[in-house]
C-alpha cells in the first residue's frame, strides 16, 4: 500500500517562498512517477511537477509552464521523499497542494502534467498567497 504524507504549506505574501515535503512509503524500489498537483475548489486538478523514481538517479523533473522557473522539485532518494520549493509565489498559486504517485506508469511521467490522474494522492496541504 502506497502512502504519501505531506508537510509544509501555509500562508505567505506575494513574492514569498514556501517548501512542501512528501514522504512516501510502500514504493520501495519500484518504478513510479511522483509529483505535485494543486486544486482550487470547483476547478480541475493541475499538474505542477513530476519526476520518475525507482530507477536511474540522474533523471530531471518536468514542470508545467505555469510554475516553470519558480517551482523546483527535488528528491531525497535515501528517504523516499520529494520536495517542492516554491519561489516568487503569486496570489493565483493559492490552492490545496497534493503529493501524487503512479506505480508502474504505463506512459511518460511528463504526461501526468497535462492529465494528473495519478493512482495515489496525499491528504493535501493548503497554500495561501496574499497581496
Amino acid at each position: 500500500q502506497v502512502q504519501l504524507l505531506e508537510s509544509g504549506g501555509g500562508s505567505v505574501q506575494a513574492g514569498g517562498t514556501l517548501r512542501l515535503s512528501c514522504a512516501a512509503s510502500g514504493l520501495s524500489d519500484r518504478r513510479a512517477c511522483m509529483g505535485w498537483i494543486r486544486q482550487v475548489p470547483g476547478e480541475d486538478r493541475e499538474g505542477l511537477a513530476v519526476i520518475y523514481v525507482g530507477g536511474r538517479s540522474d533523471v530531471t523533473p518536468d514542470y508545467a509552464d505555469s510554475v516553470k522557473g519558480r517551482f523546483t522539485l527535488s528528491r531525497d532518494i535515501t528517504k523516499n521523499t520529494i520536495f517542492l520549493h516554491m519561489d516568487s509565489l503569486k496570489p493565483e498559486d493559492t490552492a490545496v497542494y497534493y503529493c501524487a504517485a503512479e506505480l508502474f506508469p504505463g506512459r511518460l511521467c511528463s504526461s501526468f502534467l497535462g492529465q494528473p490522474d495519478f493512482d495515489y494522492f496525499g491528504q493535501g496541504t493548503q497554500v495561501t498567497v496574499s497581496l
Side-chain angles (χ1 to χ4, degrees):
Q1 179 74 14
V2 175
Q3 291 188 320
L4 305 172
L5 182 61
E6 300 139 346
S7 60
S11 298
V12 67
Q13 289 190 319
T17 297
L18 285 173
R19 190 179 86 153
L20 308 180
S21 301
C22 173
S25 60
L27 288 180
S28 301
D29 292 328
R30 292 180 285 180
R31 295 184 297 110
C33 300
M34 286 190 70
W36 295 93
I37 70 159
R38 66 187 178 191
Q39 189 167 25
V40 175
E43 298 184 10
D44 291 337
R45 293 171 179 166
E46 179 186 9
L48 303 176
V50 65
I51 191 169
Y52 175 77
V53 302
R56 295 168 54 183
S57 61
D58 60 342
V59 294
T60 56
D62 292 293
Y63 297 95
D65 288 342
S66 59
V67 303
K68 196 174 295 183
R70 299 189 299 123
F71 290 12
T72 303
L73 187 158
S74 61
R75 58 187 292 217
D76 182 333
I77 298 174
T78 61
K79 297 180 180 179
N80 250 1
T81 300
I82 64 170
F83 306 92
L84 187 67
H85 188 88
M86 304 183 288
D87 283 325
S88 304
L89 282 161
K90 307 173 183 179
E92 50 264 44
D93 292 319
T94 296
V96 179
Y97 284 67
Y98 297 88
C99 179
E102 175 85 1
L103 268 180
F104 303 115
R107 62 187 206 253
L108 291 174
C109 289
S110 59
S111 70
F112 285 92
L113 294 175
Q115 189 174 351
D117 54 345
F118 293 88
D119 282 340
Y120 302 96
F121 295 91
Q123 79 281 6
T125 185
Q126 177 70 43
V127 171
T128 302
V129 185
S130 58
L131 288 171

